Amino acid sequence: MPQSFPVDPSGSLVARLDLPPLGTGPLDGTTFTVKDNIDIAGHRTSYGSPAWRDAHPAPTYNALCVDQMLAAGARCVGKVVADEFTYSLDGESPFFGTPRNAKAPDRIPGGSSSGSAASVANGIADFSIGTDSGGSVRVPASLCGLWGMRPSLHRISEAGVLPFMPSVSTVGVVAACFAHLDAAIRVALRSGPTPQASLQRILVLSDALEIADDTVRRHADAALEEIARRTGLPLEPIRFSQIVGEDVPLSDCNTQALRIMQTAEFQSTVGNWIEACTPELGFPFSMAYGNVLAFDRIAALDGLARCERFFESINACLSPGTVICFPTTPVIAPLKGSLNTMDAVVDYYDRTMTITAFSGVGRLPEVSVPLLTVDGCPVGLSFAAAHYQDEFLLRAVSEMTGQPS
């Protein structure tokens, strides 16, 4: 007889599944969900768009990252909502609804891995596989009070993951606790026993604190002081201009680098299909897509070169044993339906992506830790390390936050 499942009060599920483990390992006894831009065999992948789902056949194979989790002992319990073409950081889908933010039910969950965060925060799964380019794992982790990690670019296989922004996009994980985040990420990273550097320096990205709301900044300062006390290491403030050796603001990491890369690559990965098939588009996405249509790819090539220069400078600054800290998001989750004016949208997106673009352009691993509570709402505090220093970062986060490793 077919298995019956209860109604999903979180609004996070596209499909409830019960895919048993394919082996045993470090994820034995855990459950996970999968963002709906990642393939599961036999189930059409929507990419947050019913039109995309209906125009493409169901995949024959799972995405490789899904098979990794199943082979390590985890059980897949569902596919979850993604923002339309993952081109959003708010989590309010005109097609699939707004998944419930369990810690702040009147507020948005953040996107584009909105269903991933909501499914974990509402207790449906222990962890979820999502994707992150401009903050799509880190932002919902922050706004929903979860652990979330964007790993180093291309450390995790993206086979079976729908394309968005190949030069920045990566598979990531959100989890209810550090232990599940650590275990799942290490499976996906294929981590070995290589010894890691010890934590030696804690940098604080001053520009990111300055653009955060006053209440977020105060709580972040207090949490960082506690980390300094626990580790015995001083906090070392640093500005983006010092990192890159140019008199430029942190916002350039977004507006003059990541956003240019995002728009140019999106034209190629999704824009061609939209132009050929003219699908139904949600209103919020159609507004953003207008900027994509008007974008001059050739004039933007300098921005791609700037991404490379920023990548080199950021990683030269982050020597072995160094982490850099900043609020994951500059704000608590906005109220549902409040991003309905241009001023509100610009404020939320520009300030948030000014921070999230730093690790995106740097191709850095970043962990958002649910350390802050501001006006009764969660906000993450993020820690990043140099490119390919994922295992060091996990160890450092464990030490800084007192989590068992």
Side-chain angles (χ1 to χ4, degrees):
M1 293 181 62
Q3 190 171 0
S4 61
F5 296 107
V7 174
D8 167 31
S10 75
S12 65
L13 292 172
V14 173
R16 192 180 286 272
L17 306 173
D18 187 22
L19 305 182
L22 298 175
T24 62
L27 298 179
D28 284 353
T30 63
T31 57
F32 72 104
T33 58
V34 177
K35 184 177 179 180
D36 201 20
N37 64 331
I38 299 173
D39 285 346
I40 291 181
H43 298 270
R44 291 191 180 214
T45 306
S46 79
Y47 210 163
S49 164
W52 177 283
R53 177 197 62 206
D54 296 344
H56 293 83
T60 301
Y61 302 102
N62 294 332
L64 193 56
C65 59
V66 174
D67 280 336
Q68 286 180 282
M69 302 302 152
L70 295 170
R75 178 179 295 270
C76 179
V77 296
K79 291 205 79 174
V80 289
V81 174
D83 287 0
E84 190 173 7
F85 299 114
T86 70
Y87 206 107
S88 170
L89 291 178
D90 55 59
E92 296 187 286
S93 169
F95 302 114
F96 298 98
T98 303
R100 178 176 180 268
N101 184 336
K103 300 288 179 63
D106 59 339
R107 297 178 179 272
I108 64 172
S112 65
S113 302
S114 54
S116 288
S119 65
V120 173
N122 285 279
I124 292 171
D126 297 312
F127 68 93
S128 184
I129 307 173
T131 56
D132 187 293
S133 298
S136 287
V137 161
R138 294 164 286 161
V139 169
S142 176
L143 301 186
C144 291
L146 300 170
W147 296 80
M149 183 170 181
R150 170 208 162 83
S152 292
L153 185 68
H154 301 323
R155 274 293 305 269
I156 297 176
S157 171
E158 291 148 53
V161 180
L162 290 173
F164 176 70
M165 185 184 176
S167 294
V168 179
S169 296
T170 177
V171 172
V173 172
V174 294
C177 64
F178 177 75
H180 288 146
L181 178 79
D182 184 71
I185 279 286
R186 287 179 186 274
V187 166
L189 292 173
R190 309 173 299 282
S191 296
T194 306
Q196 301 301 316
S198 60
L199 178 63
Q200 299 170 26
R201 299 182 69 195
I202 303 176
L203 307 181
V204 178
L205 189 58
S206 300
D207 318 50
L209 283 166
E210 289 168 3
I211 67 169
D213 286 351
D214 289 344
T215 49
V216 172
R217 182 168 58 252
R218 289 198 301 270
H219 283 77
D221 284 339
L224 288 168
E225 289 295 337
E226 173 60 22
I227 286 169
R229 184 200 63 76
R230 178 180 287 118
T231 61
L233 294 171
L235 304 174
E236 304 178 44
I238 191 168
R239 304 192 69 81
F240 183 66
S241 58
Q242 294 174 269
I243 293 172
V244 298
E246 300 178 47
D247 186 18
V248 294
L250 179 61
S251 59
D252 273 16
C253 214
N254 175 34
T255 59
Q256 303 304 312
L258 183 137
R259 188 176 292 176
I260 291 171
M261 179 80 76
Q262 172 180 283
T263 309
E265 294 196 339
F266 189 82
Q267 284 181 329
S268 296
T269 56
V270 181
N272 284 327
W273 179 80
I274 291 176
E275 292 307 298
C277 299
T278 61
E280 179 187 0
L281 303 175
F283 179 73
F285 172 80
S286 65
M287 296 296 290
Y289 188 61
N291 295 326
V292 175
L293 288 173
F295 187 72
D296 184 339
R297 293 163 65 89
I298 303 306
L301 292 178
D302 285 347
L304 275 63
R306 191 174 298 111
C307 282
E308 194 66 20
R309 292 201 303 272
F310 285 171
F311 162 72
E312 293 168 352
S313 298
I314 290 169
N315 282 277
C317 174
L318 297 176
S319 55
T322 301
V323 297
I324 187 165
C325 314
F326 42 88
T328 310
T329 53
V331 297
I332 63 174
L335 291 167
K336 288 190 288 189
S338 66
L339 299 177
N340 56 4
T341 67
M342 186 57 67
D343 286 347
V345 169
V346 168
D347 179 69
Y348 173 67
Y349 274 86
D350 281 5
R351 284 201 290 155
T352 300
M353 290 191 67
T354 291
I355 296 176
T356 59
F358 179 76
S359 290
V361 168
R363 308 174 200 168
L364 310 178
E366 177 184 329
V367 176
S368 179
V369 181
L371 284 181
L372 314 180
T373 302
V374 178
D375 298 332
C377 298
V379 179
L381 187 63
S382 270
F383 304 88
H387 184 56
Y388 263 64
Q389 293 297 305
D390 304 66
E391 288 85 356
F392 157 71
L393 179 61
L394 288 164
R395 174 180 167 179
V397 167
S398 172
E399 179 180 347
M400 289 185 290
T401 60
Q403 298 293 317
S405 58

